[in-house]
C-alpha cells in the first residue's frame, strides 16, 4: 500500500532525525550536483582508461566523490549514508 509505505518512511526519517528535502523529477536544482559528480568520475576515468590499474583509479575517484563536502546536504555523501 502506497500510503503505508509513505507513513513508514516518514516515521523512519523522523526517528533518525533526517531532514528530508523533496525535489521534482528532472529538476535542475535536484540533479545538478549529481550530474557534476558523474562528470567528474567520467572525466577521471577517461584520463586513465588505458591504464591496467583502472579499477584502482576508480576506487580513488569513488573515494574522492564520497569524501568531498557537499554544500546542499551540509556534509559528505559518505557521512550522509553511514553517519
Amino acid at each position: 500500500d502506497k500510503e503505508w509505505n509513505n507513513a513508514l518512511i516518514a516515521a523512519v526519517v523522523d526517528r533518525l532525525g533526517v531532514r528530508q528535502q523533496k525535489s521534482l523529477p528532472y529538476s535542475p536544482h535536484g540533479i545538478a550536483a549529481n550530474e557534476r559528480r558523474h562528470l567528474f568520475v567520467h572525466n577521471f576515468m577517461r584520463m586513465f582508461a588505458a591504464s591496467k590499474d583502472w579499477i584502482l583509479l576508480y576506487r580513488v575517484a569513488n573515494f574522492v566523490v564520497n569524501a568531498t563536502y557537499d554544500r546542499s546536504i551540509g556534509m559528505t555523501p559518505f557521512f550522509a549514508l553511514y553517519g
Side-chain angles (χ1 to χ4, degrees), residues 16-68:
L16 293 174
V18 174
R19 183 176 55 95
Q20 201 172 17
Q21 215 171 4
K22 297 180 180 169
S23 66
L24 298 173
Y26 308 108
S27 166
H29 300 306
I31 62 172
N34 201 25
E35 290 298 323
R36 285 192 297 276
R37 284 186 197 96
H38 288 165
L39 182 61
F40 167 79
V41 173
H42 174 78
N43 289 338
F44 188 91
M45 294 308 298
R46 190 178 57 188
M47 287 189 297
F48 297 106
S51 172
K52 291 180 181 180
D53 297 326
W54 71 269
I55 193 67
L56 296 174
L57 297 170
Y58 172 78
R59 290 181 180 141
V60 170
N62 190 28
F63 172 80
V64 169
V65 168
N66 285 325
T68 302

